Amino acid sequence: MALSNFKVLDLSRVLAGPYCTMILGDLGAEVIKVEAPGGSDDTRKWGPPFQEGVSAYYLSANRNKKSITVDLKTEEGISFIKKLVKESDVIINNFKTGTMERLGLGFETVSNLNPGIVFCSITGFGETGPNKAMPGYDFIVQAMSGLMSITGDKHSGPQKVGVAITDVLTGLYACIGIQAALLERNFSGKGQKLDISLYDSAVSSLVNIGSNYLLSGKIPEALGNHHANIVPYQTFKTIDGEIVIAVGNDNQYKALCTVLGKPELSTDVRFLTNPDRVQHREQLVPLLEEVFATKPTNYWQKRCNENNIPCGPIQNLEEVTKDPQLLAREMFISTEHPTAGHIKMIGSPLKLSRTPVTYRHHPPNVGEHNEEFMNQKTKN
């Protein structure tokens, strides 16, 4: 496995940190999940749904890990963590800024114990700046970052993304940063500290919308399922549902006009180029909506596919889990859990040809591996 020689000490909880370490675990790293006695990852209690008392939320971000419980309020607990630090390649936490220092586990202390350690800190707003002490919650960060201001439409008002997207993004950035630091360590022999925040990660996700504002100075409006820079690039209602049409260039637009039986729209001077169509969005879109509403989704999907027009139906989760493409890609997996029994999970999107991801450990119960690690402690 790609990361099978690496050990990760995971002091994080909830989603951003655990999501990061699950990816590292999928890639082969040994991940040791550290919680307070009794369990301190709040997601263990977030539900329903539960399966035999095990939270679906917790299961989503904690496979391929071993679980131990350590009381970080005691000298013995801190000493044990320091011992694990000496044997680890990465230590990750998402405590509030300054907590690791107060525990005696700050970067300077940890790097003195292990100069090669990669120390990753995940916080809401980063470890510098006037808001460094503020706690970070995905919903709040979505609001503050501008994401909510461009999600939804003029009727709905600002809307959050349906999942904790800033946590997911932060977990991905943390994973990228950790692997970059490990690669660099091959040359320098030294570890380093990563300061990753939800707020920074959310703002980075504004991409073209952020760039639009920086270039024009015009505050973007919420366009719902429309695109700020491309037309037609949106959802259309059909007889029996909705379909996404994603026309990315003028040739695709001409093909769409032919499929819709409206070739005259491809030569209308208002709609000749994408900038023209963006400028005359309000005139063009109703004309397209009228035609799409006359046929079922499958009809339009088939016709668009035949003419190389990017499209896709809006699917619910039941339809997603039965999608032949996702089944062929093994994006849904199952395993046995000692408490929950047979569980299903979303698989990894990482497809490596020579060192593929593996699913070696179920999401562990609290302290499930205490005995294993306590025995190592006794031997040492």
Side-chain angles (χ1 to χ4, degrees):
M1 295 171 288
L3 299 179
S4 59
N5 294 321
F6 296 95
K7 180 180 288 188
V8 178
L9 189 56
D10 182 7
L11 276 64
S12 69
R13 67 271 188 225
V14 186
L15 186 53
Y19 191 70
C20 168
T21 55
M22 182 178 72
I23 296 170
L24 297 173
D26 285 352
L27 289 167
E30 179 184 4
V31 180
I32 305 167
K33 183 178 180 69
V34 180
E35 295 180 73
S40 51
D41 190 331
D42 292 336
T43 63
R44 291 185 183 276
K45 300 177 182 178
W46 285 2
F50 296 95
Q51 185 164 307
E52 300 298 330
V54 180
S55 158
Y57 201 125
Y58 169 76
L59 293 175
S60 72
N62 286 284
R63 67 169 172 256
N64 282 333
K65 302 176 186 180
K66 296 179 179 180
S67 171
I68 62 173
T69 55
V70 179
D71 188 349
L72 298 180
K73 296 179 180 178
T74 66
E75 290 186 10
E76 182 183 11
I78 296 299
S79 295
F80 185 52
I81 293 298
K82 288 180 177 179
K83 171 189 171 295
L84 291 177
V85 162
K86 295 177 182 178
E87 305 169 354
S88 299
D89 299 282
V90 178
I91 180 170
I92 181 170
N93 80 91
N94 60 351
F95 295 126
K96 290 181 182 179
T97 299
T99 300
M100 289 290 279
E101 286 74 16
R102 288 195 297 273
L103 292 171
L105 294 171
F107 175 62
E108 288 190 11
T109 301
V110 166
S111 61
N112 283 332
L113 294 170
N114 181 351
I117 196 83
V118 173
F119 184 109
C120 181
S121 171
I122 294 177
T123 57
F125 294 88
E127 296 197 350
T128 59
N131 291 338
K132 65 181 182 181
M134 285 180 60
Y137 294 90
D138 170 83
F139 197 3
I140 294 169
V141 170
Q142 286 199 43
M144 293 180 64
S145 66
L147 272 178
M148 285 182 63
S149 76
I150 58 172
T151 305
D153 56 31
K154 61 184 178 181
H155 302 294
S156 69
Q159 296 284 302
K160 74 178 183 68
V161 180
V163 296
I165 192 64
T166 68
D167 278 314
V168 173
L169 289 169
T170 305
L172 291 170
Y173 277 121
C175 189
I176 293 167
I178 286 169
Q179 292 181 91
L182 291 172
L183 281 171
E184 191 278 336
R185 190 180 70 175
N186 289 334
F187 302 98
S188 68
K190 299 177 182 178
Q192 58 183 301
K193 181 177 180 178
L194 283 68
D195 173 7
I196 311 291
S197 85
L198 272 69
Y199 200 26
D200 295 347
S201 299
V203 171
S204 76
S205 74
L206 295 174
V207 288
N208 63 298
I209 303 299
S211 185
N212 290 350
Y213 171 73
L214 293 174
L215 192 67
S216 70
K218 181 181 178 181
I219 298 175
E221 59 181 313
L223 296 175
N225 290 325
H226 297 243
H227 196 289
N229 302 103
I230 312 172
V231 173
Y233 201 103
Q234 63 181 82
T235 56
F236 289 96
K237 290 185 178 179
T238 66
I239 284 180
D240 60 353
E242 289 186 78
I243 190 170
V244 169
I245 300 295
V247 167
N249 58 54
D250 296 336
N251 287 332
Q252 290 175 353
Y253 172 68
K254 291 176 184 178
L256 178 66
C257 292
T258 299
V259 166
L260 295 177
K262 294 286 184 179
E264 68 275 13
L265 294 180
S266 66
T267 56
D268 190 312
V269 293
R270 296 172 297 173
F271 314 135
L272 287 178
T273 68
N274 182 68
D276 294 330
R277 294 191 292 275
V278 172
Q279 183 179 353
H280 297 98
R281 181 195 303 266
E282 300 300 327
Q283 290 77 43
L284 175 60
V285 169
L287 299 175
L288 303 180
E289 288 176 332
E290 184 178 352
V291 182
F292 274 108
T294 63
K295 302 285 185 181
T297 300
N298 284 342
Y299 172 84
W300 293 122
Q301 185 178 2
K302 182 175 184 293
R303 294 284 285 119
C304 286
N305 285 338
E306 290 171 347
N307 290 273
N308 297 315
I309 300 165
C311 69
I314 296 179
Q315 299 188 132
N316 61 35
L317 266 292
E318 182 179 8
E319 292 166 326
V320 169
T321 57
K322 294 178 180 178
D323 189 314
Q325 177 65 21
L326 294 173
L327 295 177
R329 300 284 291 172
E330 298 181 338
M331 280 304 299
F332 301 101
I333 62 171
S334 60
T335 190
E336 296 300 319
H337 188 278
T339 302
H342 188 74
I343 59 172
K344 298 178 181 179
M345 295 183 289
I346 296 174
S348 172
L350 298 171
K351 312 298 183 184
L352 284 70
S353 65
R354 190 168 52 80
T355 56
V357 301
T358 59
Y359 308 110
R360 306 175 307 286
H361 307 300
H362 58 266
N365 285 331
V366 177
E368 185 175 328
H369 300 90
N370 275 351
E371 185 176 349
E372 174 185 337
F373 282 88
M374 291 305 116
N375 288 339
Q376 291 180 13
K377 178 182 176 182
T378 302
K379 291 177 183 178
N380 295 331

PDB file of all heavy atoms in Angstrom, residues 240-260:
ATOM      1  N   ASP A 240     -41.146  14.363 -16.122  1.00  0.00           N
ATOM      2  CA  ASP A 240     -41.122  13.489 -14.950  1.00  0.00           C
ATOM      3  C   ASP A 240     -39.983  13.759 -13.976  1.00  0.00           C
ATOM      4  O   ASP A 240     -39.740  12.969 -13.063  1.00  0.00           O
ATOM      5  CB  ASP A 240     -41.066  12.025 -15.390  1.00  0.00           C
ATOM      6  CG  ASP A 240     -39.827  11.718 -16.227  1.00  0.00           C
ATOM      7  OD1 ASP A 240     -39.091  12.659 -16.574  1.00  0.00           O
ATOM      8  OD2 ASP A 240     -39.602  10.535 -16.539  1.00  0.00           O
ATOM      9  N   GLY A 241     -39.269  14.848 -14.122  1.00  0.00           N
ATOM     10  CA  GLY A 241     -38.164  15.119 -13.198  1.00  0.00           C
ATOM     11  C   GLY A 241     -37.368  16.339 -13.613  1.00  0.00           C
ATOM     12  O   GLY A 241     -37.926  17.312 -14.135  1.00  0.00           O
ATOM     13  N   GLU A 242     -36.058  16.268 -13.408  1.00  0.00           N
ATOM     14  CA  GLU A 242     -35.177  17.367 -13.794  1.00  0.00           C
ATOM     15  C   GLU A 242     -33.889  16.802 -14.368  1.00  0.00           C
ATOM     16  O   GLU A 242     -33.441  15.716 -13.983  1.00  0.00           O
ATOM     17  CB  GLU A 242     -34.848  18.257 -12.591  1.00  0.00           C
ATOM     18  CG  GLU A 242     -36.022  19.090 -12.103  1.00  0.00           C
ATOM     19  CD  GLU A 242     -35.606  20.067 -11.012  1.00  0.00           C
ATOM     20  OE1 GLU A 242     -35.019  21.115 -11.330  1.00  0.00           O
ATOM     21  OE2 GLU A 242     -35.882  19.770  -9.838  1.00  0.00           O
ATOM     22  N   ILE A 243     -33.293  17.555 -15.274  1.00  0.00           N
ATOM     23  CA  ILE A 243     -32.035  17.161 -15.888  1.00  0.00           C
ATOM     24  C   ILE A 243     -31.075  18.339 -15.869  1.00  0.00           C
ATOM     25  O   ILE A 243     -31.495  19.496 -15.967  1.00  0.00           O
ATOM     26  CB  ILE A 243     -32.261  16.666 -17.336  1.00  0.00           C
ATOM     27  CG1 ILE A 243     -30.993  16.031 -17.895  1.00  0.00           C
ATOM     28  CG2 ILE A 243     -32.761  17.799 -18.232  1.00  0.00           C
ATOM     29  CD1 ILE A 243     -31.203  15.316 -19.227  1.00  0.00           C
ATOM     30  N   VAL A 244     -29.814  18.036 -15.691  1.00  0.00           N
ATOM     31  CA  VAL A 244     -28.775  19.057 -15.771  1.00  0.00           C
ATOM     32  C   VAL A 244     -28.218  19.080 -17.182  1.00  0.00           C
ATOM     33  O   VAL A 244     -27.835  18.035 -17.721  1.00  0.00           O
ATOM     34  CB  VAL A 244     -27.637  18.771 -14.760  1.00  0.00           C
ATOM     35  CG1 VAL A 244     -26.441  19.676 -15.020  1.00  0.00           C
ATOM     36  CG2 VAL A 244     -28.143  18.964 -13.333  1.00  0.00           C
ATOM     37  N   ILE A 245     -28.176  20.254 -17.758  1.00  0.00           N
ATOM     38  CA  ILE A 245     -27.558  20.469 -19.061  1.00  0.00           C
ATOM     39  C   ILE A 245     -26.343  21.364 -18.845  1.00  0.00           C
ATOM     40  O   ILE A 245     -26.456  22.444 -18.259  1.00  0.00           O
ATOM     41  CB  ILE A 245     -28.530  21.131 -20.056  1.00  0.00           C
ATOM     42  CG1 ILE A 245     -29.754  20.241 -20.265  1.00  0.00           C
ATOM     43  CG2 ILE A 245     -27.834  21.435 -21.378  1.00  0.00           C
ATOM     44  CD1 ILE A 245     -29.461  18.908 -20.932  1.00  0.00           C
ATOM     45  N   ALA A 246     -25.188  20.913 -19.307  1.00  0.00           N
ATOM     46  CA  ALA A 246     -23.939  21.641 -19.060  1.00  0.00           C
ATOM     47  C   ALA A 246     -23.245  21.930 -20.386  1.00  0.00           C
ATOM     48  O   ALA A 246     -22.291  21.262 -20.776  1.00  0.00           O
ATOM     49  CB  ALA A 246     -23.020  20.838 -18.136  1.00  0.00           C
ATOM     50  N   VAL A 247     -23.735  22.937 -21.093  1.00  0.00           N
ATOM     51  CA  VAL A 247     -23.187  23.308 -22.388  1.00  0.00           C
ATOM     52  C   VAL A 247     -21.944  24.160 -22.171  1.00  0.00           C
ATOM     53  O   VAL A 247     -22.028  25.280 -21.656  1.00  0.00           O
ATOM     54  CB  VAL A 247     -24.236  24.070 -23.221  1.00  0.00           C
ATOM     55  CG1 VAL A 247     -23.591  24.724 -24.430  1.00  0.00           C
ATOM     56  CG2 VAL A 247     -25.345  23.116 -23.655  1.00  0.00           C
ATOM     57  N   GLY A 248     -20.793  23.642 -22.559  1.00  0.00           N
ATOM     58  CA  GLY A 248     -19.542  24.325 -22.263  1.00  0.00           C
ATOM     59  C   GLY A 248     -18.942  25.110 -23.408  1.00  0.00           C
ATOM     60  O   GLY A 248     -17.975  25.851 -23.203  1.00  0.00           O
ATOM     61  N   ASN A 249     -19.481  24.972 -24.631  1.00  0.00           N
ATOM     62  CA  ASN A 249     -18.931  25.718 -25.753  1.00  0.00           C
ATOM     63  C   ASN A 249     -20.017  25.937 -26.810  1.00  0.00           C
ATOM     64  O   ASN A 249     -21.122  25.387 -26.723  1.00  0.00           O
ATOM     65  CB  ASN A 249     -17.703  25.007 -26.347  1.00  0.00           C
ATOM     66  CG  ASN A 249     -18.010  23.599 -26.825  1.00  0.00           C
ATOM     67  OD1 ASN A 249     -18.932  23.382 -27.619  1.00  0.00           O
ATOM     68  ND2 ASN A 249     -17.245  22.622 -26.329  1.00  0.00           N
ATOM     69  N   ASP A 250     -19.679  26.719 -27.810  1.00  0.00           N
ATOM     70  CA  ASP A 250     -20.677  27.113 -28.819  1.00  0.00           C
ATOM     71  C   ASP A 250     -21.123  25.946 -29.690  1.00  0.00           C
ATOM     72  O   ASP A 250     -22.284  25.881 -30.110  1.00  0.00           O
ATOM     73  CB  ASP A 250     -20.119  28.243 -29.692  1.00  0.00           C
ATOM     74  CG  ASP A 250     -19.865  29.519 -28.892  1.00  0.00           C
ATOM     75  OD1 ASP A 250     -20.505  29.681 -27.837  1.00  0.00           O
ATOM     76  OD2 ASP A 250     -19.025  30.330 -29.325  1.00  0.00           O
ATOM     77  N   ASN A 251     -20.219  25.010 -29.974  1.00  0.00           N
ATOM     78  CA  ASN A 251     -20.604  23.844 -30.780  1.00  0.00           C
ATOM     79  C   ASN A 251     -21.624  22.978 -30.046  1.00  0.00           C
ATOM     80  O   ASN A 251     -22.569  22.461 -30.649  1.00  0.00           O
ATOM     81  CB  ASN A 251     -19.377  23.023 -31.153  1.00  0.00           C
ATOM     82  CG  ASN A 251     -18.517  23.700 -32.202  1.00  0.00           C
ATOM     83  OD1 ASN A 251     -19.031  24.477 -33.007  1.00  0.00           O
ATOM     84  ND2 ASN A 251     -17.227  23.422 -32.199  1.00  0.00           N
ATOM     85  N   GLN A 252     -21.419  22.808 -28.739  1.00  0.00           N
ATOM     86  CA  GLN A 252     -22.394  22.048 -27.945  1.00  0.00           C
ATOM     87  C   GLN A 252     -23.744  22.765 -27.924  1.00  0.00           C
ATOM     88  O   GLN A 252     -24.794  22.121 -27.954  1.00  0.00           O
ATOM     89  CB  GLN A 252     -21.864  21.843 -26.528  1.00  0.00           C
ATOM     90  CG  GLN A 252     -20.693  20.882 -26.437  1.00  0.00           C
ATOM     91  CD  GLN A 252     -20.113  20.779 -25.041  1.00  0.00           C
ATOM     92  OE1 GLN A 252     -20.509  21.526 -24.130  1.00  0.00           O
ATOM     93  NE2 GLN A 252     -19.174  19.870 -24.857  1.00  0.00           N
ATOM     94  N   TYR A 253     -23.702  24.092 -27.877  1.00  0.00           N
ATOM     95  CA  TYR A 253     -24.955  24.852 -27.889  1.00  0.00           C
ATOM     96  C   TYR A 253     -25.707  24.636 -29.200  1.00  0.00           C
ATOM     97  O   TYR A 253     -26.929  24.428 -29.202  1.00  0.00           O
ATOM     98  CB  TYR A 253     -24.672  26.338 -27.679  1.00  0.00           C
ATOM     99  CG  TYR A 253     -25.899  27.199 -27.862  1.00  0.00           C
ATOM    100  CD1 TYR A 253     -26.958  27.137 -26.957  1.00  0.00           C
ATOM    101  CD2 TYR A 253     -26.012  28.051 -28.970  1.00  0.00           C
ATOM    102  CE1 TYR A 253     -28.109  27.903 -27.150  1.00  0.00           C
ATOM    103  CE2 TYR A 253     -27.146  28.822 -29.158  1.00  0.00           C
ATOM    104  CZ  TYR A 253     -28.192  28.748 -28.254  1.00  0.00           C
ATOM    105  OH  TYR A 253     -29.314  29.498 -28.435  1.00  0.00           O
ATOM    106  N   LYS A 254     -24.987  24.669 -30.322  1.00  0.00           N
ATOM    107  CA  LYS A 254     -25.632  24.437 -31.621  1.00  0.00           C
ATOM    108  C   LYS A 254     -26.251  23.042 -31.674  1.00  0.00           C
ATOM    109  O   LYS A 254     -27.366  22.861 -32.189  1.00  0.00           O
ATOM    110  CB  LYS A 254     -24.607  24.604 -32.737  1.00  0.00           C
ATOM    111  CG  LYS A 254     -24.127  26.036 -32.933  1.00  0.00           C
ATOM    112  CD  LYS A 254     -23.038  26.099 -34.003  1.00  0.00           C
ATOM    113  CE  LYS A 254     -22.493  27.519 -34.133  1.00  0.00           C
ATOM    114  NZ  LYS A 254     -21.389  27.600 -35.126  1.00  0.00           N
ATOM    115  N   ALA A 255     -25.521  22.059 -31.137  1.00  0.00           N
ATOM    116  CA  ALA A 255     -26.053  20.693 -31.117  1.00  0.00           C
ATOM    117  C   ALA A 255     -27.307  20.612 -30.256  1.00  0.00           C
ATOM    118  O   ALA A 255     -28.267  19.916 -30.596  1.00  0.00           O
ATOM    119  CB  ALA A 255     -24.985  19.730 -30.599  1.00  0.00           C
ATOM    120  N   LEU A 256     -27.311  21.321 -29.135  1.00  0.00           N
ATOM    121  CA  LEU A 256     -28.487  21.322 -28.266  1.00  0.00           C
ATOM    122  C   LEU A 256     -29.694  21.916 -28.991  1.00  0.00           C
ATOM    123  O   LEU A 256     -30.807  21.382 -28.883  1.00  0.00           O
ATOM    124  CB  LEU A 256     -28.187  22.116 -26.988  1.00  0.00           C
ATOM    125  CG  LEU A 256     -29.357  22.237 -26.006  1.00  0.00           C
ATOM    126  CD1 LEU A 256     -29.728  20.865 -25.437  1.00  0.00           C
ATOM    127  CD2 LEU A 256     -29.019  23.194 -24.871  1.00  0.00           C
ATOM    128  N   CYS A 257     -29.479  22.995 -29.719  1.00  0.00           N
ATOM    129  CA  CYS A 257     -30.587  23.615 -30.449  1.00  0.00           C
ATOM    130  C   CYS A 257     -31.185  22.641 -31.458  1.00  0.00           C
ATOM    131  O   CYS A 257     -32.412  22.590 -31.644  1.00  0.00           O
ATOM    132  CB  CYS A 257     -30.108  24.879 -31.162  1.00  0.00           C
ATOM    133  SG  CYS A 257     -29.654  26.223 -30.038  1.00  0.00           S
ATOM    134  N   THR A 258     -30.328  21.838 -32.069  1.00  0.00           N
ATOM    135  CA  THR A 258     -30.813  20.834 -33.025  1.00  0.00           C
ATOM    136  C   THR A 258     -31.614  19.761 -32.312  1.00  0.00           C
ATOM    137  O   THR A 258     -32.702  19.359 -32.771  1.00  0.00           O
ATOM    138  CB  THR A 258     -29.624  20.195 -33.766  1.00  0.00           C
ATOM    139  OG1 THR A 258     -28.914  21.208 -34.480  1.00  0.00           O
ATOM    140  CG2 THR A 258     -30.104  19.128 -34.739  1.00  0.00           C
ATOM    141  N   VAL A 259     -31.102  19.267 -31.195  1.00  0.00           N
ATOM    142  CA  VAL A 259     -31.804  18.246 -30.407  1.00  0.00           C
ATOM    143  C   VAL A 259     -33.168  18.753 -29.955  1.00  0.00           C
ATOM    144  O   VAL A 259     -34.158  18.011 -29.958  1.00  0.00           O
ATOM    145  CB  VAL A 259     -30.948  17.833 -29.183  1.00  0.00           C
ATOM    146  CG1 VAL A 259     -31.783  17.049 -28.173  1.00  0.00           C
ATOM    147  CG2 VAL A 259     -29.752  16.999 -29.634  1.00  0.00           C
ATOM    148  N   LEU A 260     -33.234  20.008 -29.577  1.00  0.00           N
ATOM    149  CA  LEU A 260     -34.491  20.585 -29.086  1.00  0.00           C
ATOM    150  C   LEU A 260     -35.451  20.936 -30.220  1.00  0.00           C
ATOM    151  O   LEU A 260     -36.600  21.320 -29.965  1.00  0.00           O
ATOM    152  CB  LEU A 260     -34.200  21.847 -28.271  1.00  0.00           C
ATOM    153  CG  LEU A 260     -33.425  21.653 -26.964  1.00  0.00           C
ATOM    154  CD1 LEU A 260     -33.133  22.996 -26.299  1.00  0.00           C
ATOM    155  CD2 LEU A 260     -34.188  20.754 -26.004  1.00  0.00           C
TER     156      LEU A 260
END
